[in-house]
Amino acid sequence: MRPGPRRSLTHAEILDVAFDLLEAKGFAAVSVRGVASGLGLTPTALYTYYPSKNALLRGMVEHLLARLDPGETGATDAAGEAGAPGSAGVAAGRTRLLALALRLRELLTGHAGALGLIMSGPLDGPNAMRLNETLLESFMAAGLELDDAARAAYALQVYVLGSIALESAEADAESEPADASDRAFATEATGATLWTDLATFPLSERTEAVAAQHNSTAQFTWGVQRLLDGLIGVR
Amino acid sequence: MRPGPRRSLTHAEILDVAFDLLEAKGFAAVSVRGVASGLGLTPTALYTYYPSKNALLRGMVEHLLARLDPGETGATDAAGEAGAPGSAGVAAGRTRLLALALRLRELLTGHAGALGLIMSGPLDGPNAMRLNETLLESFMAAGLELDDAARAAYALQVYVLGSIALESAEADAESEPADASDRAFATEATGATLWTDLATFPLSERTEAVAAQHNSTAQFTWGVQRLLDGLIGVR
DNA sequence: ACCTGAACACCGTTCAAGT
DNA sequence: ACCTGAACACCGTTCAAGT
């Protein structure tokens, strides 16, 4: 076939195929050629819809964030004044922040390799801004003044994305069987003693059990709670 | 030339070329072919030293971490008992933790695109373990019991890596001029209203000035301090 | 505007062969 | 053990051409 049947796709259709690919074969499979062929198109046809692969990736991020649904704002009373709201507002704000963090983590870990998406550029799309606005409202409801709320909102995003980064780094490693030898070479490369086993690090050794749980929802929640402890003045 | 002059390179020499490439041309330029040609080798020759590109990347991570130099342990007194150490020990532990976090950030942001390195696999090399051990010691010196110290050490690493992730995502975007149009397409892709400008998000708008400082050392320090507030029971 | 086909300049990795 | 050269199966992106 030469020119083509004039399909006129939706961006949503393209992103669906991209997410199918991400879930089925991982981040590396989300290629211009791969998505195009999943759509029944030539790679070059995709450039009609997105000017670059990076633009496609950003579209995927926004698509994910659209499903975040920050929920009812409801913090309008506290948003106006920088004073100390009632402890009920503090508790409500904190609950909402934890819920948002958990939901964000859920969305991003649901699709393996989603971190690659986030690193495609800054989080400045409309849905990312909506999230930011909700975080600001919640921190102000919890008693922070505006500037501190901004810093706190950023800190929380940092923590969530950091968690995803570390989790996905380990998840990727597990799916690659050649990893043990990779590690050996990395060790040798630094000139470190090859017999640096756990015994050299007594605390790390005694802590193996809890380290094994580092990627759990419980550890994530614990970390977010401690961060919120530090950000909000309560507890 | 056919077979070759039998060079016998050091892993350190290879890593040096890799870091030169990383600094000069970014993470994408750190390719097997690129490193090999910088060494005057054929790409395949590199596979004698590293079994895969990922192994090379892990070697680079260890090489970076080797320059971390956690410093004198000095917390041997507090490491033995889970009780409450003197406030001097708490302050010293906390100071050391902040210094480590700052140093780690400095190392990773010094080389643009270093996050790609970290995502090459879990941080389980000898130097990564040495860092972990030092973090454990410091948190115990600050008064945490062993299991909480393990969780806290992980939380701190999460925060540092998350900061790097967000910073490098924005740094990469700045170096690409085609970004504005990318964003427009991403916006359209979600079906979001195109006129979602800052005015729709009043809090985000009023907070632009501090948002512009999100990648600063000051903001990083502020976030780490708040996290330490929550992790260590003081203040 | 949407699409094809050919092409350009790259990738990581494998394999047989040389010293 | 260390290296080459050829090859395989991919990339993102550009460009002229068709409808």
Side-chain angles (χ1 to χ4, degrees):
Chain A
M1 37 174 156
R2 265 302 189 75
R6 179 140 324 209
R7 286 206 197 221
S8 219
L9 299 161
T10 318
H11 285 268
E13 293 177 273
I14 298 173
L15 293 177
D16 279 349
V17 170
F19 276 109
D20 286 349
L21 233 41
L22 182 65
E23 226 144 340
K25 303 193 212 166
F27 183 70
V30 184
S31 63
V32 174
R33 291 175 138 93
V35 172
S37 100
L39 252 13
L41 293 178
T42 286
T44 47
L46 254 190
Y47 284 82
T48 311
Y49 299 93
Y50 295 97
S52 68
K53 181 186 177 179
N54 221 279
L56 210 206
L57 260 24
R58 278 161 169 277
M60 291 178 75
V61 172
E62 275 295 300
H63 196 244
L64 264 188
L65 256 32
R67 263 136 201 75
L68 187 64
D69 188 36
E72 326 73 44
T73 46
T76 42
D77 57 327
E81 36 190 334
S87 63
V90 175
R94 186 173 175 137
T95 301
R96 197 144 63 110
L97 287 165
L98 177 59
L100 271 173
L102 280 166
R103 180 87 179 101
L104 192 51
R105 173 176 180 265
E106 188 187 2
L107 278 173
L108 295 177
T109 50
H111 304 85
L115 185 71
L117 297 184
I118 278 146
M119 282 180 49
S120 65
L123 295 172
D124 56 2
N127 285 312
M129 292 205 55
R130 189 170 56 112
L131 167 62
N132 188 58
E133 189 77 7
T134 307
L135 290 176
L136 288 174
E137 284 171 9
S138 302
F139 273 115
M140 291 188 76
L144 296 196
E145 56 160 326
L146 185 60
D147 282 3
D148 276 346
R151 286 184 265 267
Y154 185 71
L156 188 58
Q157 293 182 65
V158 159
Y159 195 88
V160 173
L161 294 187
S163 290
I164 308 298
L166 279 179
E167 286 182 35
S168 77
E170 278 175 49
D172 288 0
E174 276 163 22
S175 57
E176 287 167 27
D179 223 50
S181 65
D182 285 15
R183 232 168 311 175
F185 275 82
T187 306
E188 191 186 345
T190 338
T193 50
L194 270 172
W195 16 269
T196 36
D197 56 334
L198 264 179
T200 320
F201 304 110
L203 297 179
S204 298
E205 185 182 21
R206 286 164 60 199
T207 225
E208 264 183 293
V210 6
Q213 299 297 319
H214 275 342
N215 287 346
S216 67
T217 305
Q219 162 74 29
F220 176 79
T221 303
W222 185 91
V224 171
Q225 293 280 27
R226 295 295 76 72
L227 179 59
L228 291 176
D229 283 348
L231 292 173
I232 307 172
V234 288
R235 81 135 129 191
Chain B
M1 38 170 157
R2 265 303 190 75
R6 178 134 334 202
R7 285 204 197 221
S8 220
L9 299 161
T10 318
H11 285 266
E13 293 177 273
I14 298 173
L15 293 177
D16 278 349
V17 170
F19 276 109
D20 287 349
L21 233 39
L22 182 66
E23 226 143 342
K25 302 193 211 164
F27 183 69
V30 184
S31 63
V32 174
R33 291 174 137 95
V35 173
S37 100
L39 253 12
L41 291 180
T42 284
T44 48
L46 253 190
Y47 284 83
T48 311
Y49 298 93
Y50 294 96
S52 67
K53 181 186 177 180
N54 220 279
L56 209 205
L57 259 25
R58 278 160 168 278
M60 292 177 75
V61 172
E62 274 296 299
H63 196 244
L64 264 188
L65 257 30
R67 263 136 201 75
L68 187 65
D69 189 34
E72 327 74 42
T73 46
T76 42
D77 56 324
E81 36 190 334
S87 64
V90 174
R94 186 173 174 136
T95 302
R96 196 142 63 108
L97 287 165
L98 178 60
L100 271 173
L102 280 166
R103 181 87 180 102
L104 192 51
R105 172 176 181 267
E106 189 187 1
L107 279 173
L108 295 177
T109 50
H111 303 85
L115 185 71
L117 297 184
I118 278 147
M119 280 179 49
S120 65
L123 296 172
D124 57 0
N127 284 313
M129 293 205 55
R130 188 170 57 115
L131 167 62
N132 188 57
E133 189 77 6
T134 308
L135 291 176
L136 288 174
E137 283 170 9
S138 301
F139 273 115
M140 292 188 76
L144 297 196
E145 56 161 327
L146 185 59
D147 283 3
D148 276 346
R151 286 183 265 266
Y154 185 72
L156 188 57
Q157 292 183 64
V158 159
Y159 195 88
V160 173
L161 294 186
S163 290
I164 308 298
L166 278 180
E167 284 181 37
S168 77
E170 277 174 52
D172 288 0
E174 276 163 22
S175 58
E176 287 167 28
D179 224 53
S181 66
D182 286 13
R183 231 168 312 175
F185 275 82
T187 305
E188 193 187 342
T190 338
T193 50
L194 270 171
W195 16 269
T196 36
D197 55 335
L198 264 180
T200 320
F201 304 110
L203 296 178
S204 297
E205 186 181 22
R206 285 164 61 199
T207 225
E208 264 183 293
V210 5
Q213 298 298 319
H214 275 341
N215 287 348
S216 68
T217 306
Q219 162 74 29
F220 176 78
T221 303
W222 185 90
V224 171
Q225 293 281 26
R226 295 295 76 72
L227 180 59
L228 290 176
D229 283 346
L231 292 173
I232 306 172
V234 290
R235 79 134 126 189

